[in-house]
């Protein structure tokens, strides 16, 4: 099976479905990470919070921890990836070239504007594909006025530490958010696991799902 995970920034995919990807690779599935920006950004006061060079280096290390060899990084503005035909057409091109069986993308009600833009653009570009899922946002993203609805669960027991180690490779973000970033992510996975009767899990909202009988 071919899996495509789409994220606005380097660390988004690892946060939300890193355990799923690590498990998929362990089970001999093919995985591609498509990241829409080099993910450098400055604060409103002009302070550089993360350089593109650091973000890309960290992102590649994180992907390697998950076992992902195929990571493609595009060059949209990390703060402003809109729901726009420019984004849709590039995603359309990448999806048609890769021909994934499963697509993971952001949640459409995420409060980060670039996450929302990527979610909507991905869903439009994936209109010909029948297995499209939105992964759960993690704070500070996703504190929306609409609740995330966990509809599909993937047991990531045995892969949760691999997911967390991938996050630790994002040193600029780790230094910014601290150990609570890791602990909160692990706690979310434990809670989703509890909901499905497992130790750790990741949850998704379904856009489309093809059931093969």
């Amino acid at each position: 099976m071919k899996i495509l995970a789409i994220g606005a920034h380097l660390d988004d995919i690892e946060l939300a479905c890193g355990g799923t990807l690590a498990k998929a690779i362990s089970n001999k599935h093919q995985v591609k990470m498509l990241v829409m920006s080099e993910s450098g950004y400055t604060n409103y006061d002009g302070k550089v919070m993360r350089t593109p060079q650091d973000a890309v280096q960290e992102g590649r290390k994180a992907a390697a921890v998950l076992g992902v060899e195929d990571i493609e990084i595009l060059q949209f503005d990390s703060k402003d990836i809109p729901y726009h035909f420019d984004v849709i057409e590039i995603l359309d091109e990448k999806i048609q070239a890769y021909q994934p069986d499963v697509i993971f993308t952001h949640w459409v009600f995420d409060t980060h504007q670039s996450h929302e833009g990527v979610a909507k653009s991905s869903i439009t570009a994936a209109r010909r594909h029948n297995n499209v899922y939105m992964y759960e946002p993690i704070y500070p993203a996703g504190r929306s006025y609409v609740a995330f609805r966990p509809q599909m669960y993937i047991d990531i027991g045995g892969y949760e530490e691999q997911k967390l180690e991938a996050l630790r490779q994002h040193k600029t973000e780790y230094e910014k958010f601290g150990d609570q970033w890791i602990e909160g992510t692990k706690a979310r996975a434990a809670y989703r696991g509890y909901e499905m009767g497992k130790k750790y899990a990741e949850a998704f909202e379904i856009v489309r799902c093809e059931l093969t009988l």
Side-chain angles (χ1 to χ4, degrees):
M1 182 167 62
K2 296 174 74 174
I3 297 169
L4 176 64
I6 303 169
H9 309 104
L10 293 149
D11 77 359
D12 291 336
I13 295 169
E14 298 93 306
L15 272 168
C17 61
T20 294
L21 300 189
K23 182 175 184 177
I25 290 167
S26 177
N27 289 327
K28 309 302 181 185
H29 298 296
Q30 185 176 336
V31 173
K32 178 182 179 69
M33 293 171 63
L34 179 62
V35 183
M36 304 302 291
S37 72
E38 292 182 332
S39 307
Y41 67 98
T42 58
N43 200 16
Y44 64 88
D45 60 4
K47 180 181 178 181
V48 176
M49 304 299 292
R50 193 184 196 193
T51 68
Q53 294 80 9
D54 284 342
V56 168
Q57 183 179 45
E58 292 166 1
R60 293 193 182 282
K61 287 180 179 178
V65 168
L66 297 178
V68 177
E69 296 179 356
D70 187 356
I71 175 171
E72 184 174 359
I73 303 167
L74 305 182
Q75 294 186 329
F76 287 97
D77 183 340
S78 63
K79 287 186 177 180
D80 186 20
I81 309 174
Y83 180 35
H84 188 269
F85 74 86
D86 285 339
V87 181
I88 294 165
E89 286 186 351
I90 286 181
L91 284 169
D92 203 351
E93 176 189 349
K94 300 298 181 183
I95 289 169
Q96 295 312 308
Y98 186 64
Q99 285 296 308
D101 300 295
V102 172
I103 297 171
F104 294 117
T105 190
H106 286 281
W107 182 51
V108 290
F109 294 106
D110 198 311
T111 50
H112 191 302
Q113 67 278 2
S114 289
H115 295 183
E116 179 190 15
V118 171
K120 291 178 177 178
S121 298
S122 299
I123 292 168
T124 300
R127 59 197 176 276
R128 302 178 186 89
H129 292 259
N130 294 333
N131 287 293
V132 183
Y133 307 96
M134 298 182 291
Y135 47 71
E136 185 171 15
I138 302 290
Y139 178 80
R143 298 194 72 189
S144 180
Y145 55 90
V146 176
F148 179 83
R149 301 174 302 168
Q151 298 165 330
M152 182 183 77
Y153 294 81
I154 296 178
D155 176 7
I156 64 164
Y159 299 92
E160 72 281 352
E161 290 302 327
Q162 199 172 346
K163 169 190 175 88
L164 299 178
E165 185 56 32
L167 289 183
R168 293 186 186 99
Q169 303 309 306
H170 293 280
K171 291 184 178 180
T172 49
E173 298 296 273
Y174 190 12
E175 289 170 2
K176 177 181 176 182
F177 296 115
D179 286 333
Q180 276 194 311
W181 191 47
I182 304 297
E183 293 164 3
T185 302
K186 186 173 184 178
R188 173 68 63 80
Y191 178 66
R192 293 308 185 197
Y194 172 70
E195 287 184 323
M196 71 172 299
K198 302 292 183 180
K199 192 165 185 181
Y200 295 102
E202 289 171 337
F204 304 83
E205 276 200 34
I206 298 170
V207 178
R208 282 188 299 280
C209 177
E210 179 181 350
L211 180 63
T212 302
L213 298 177

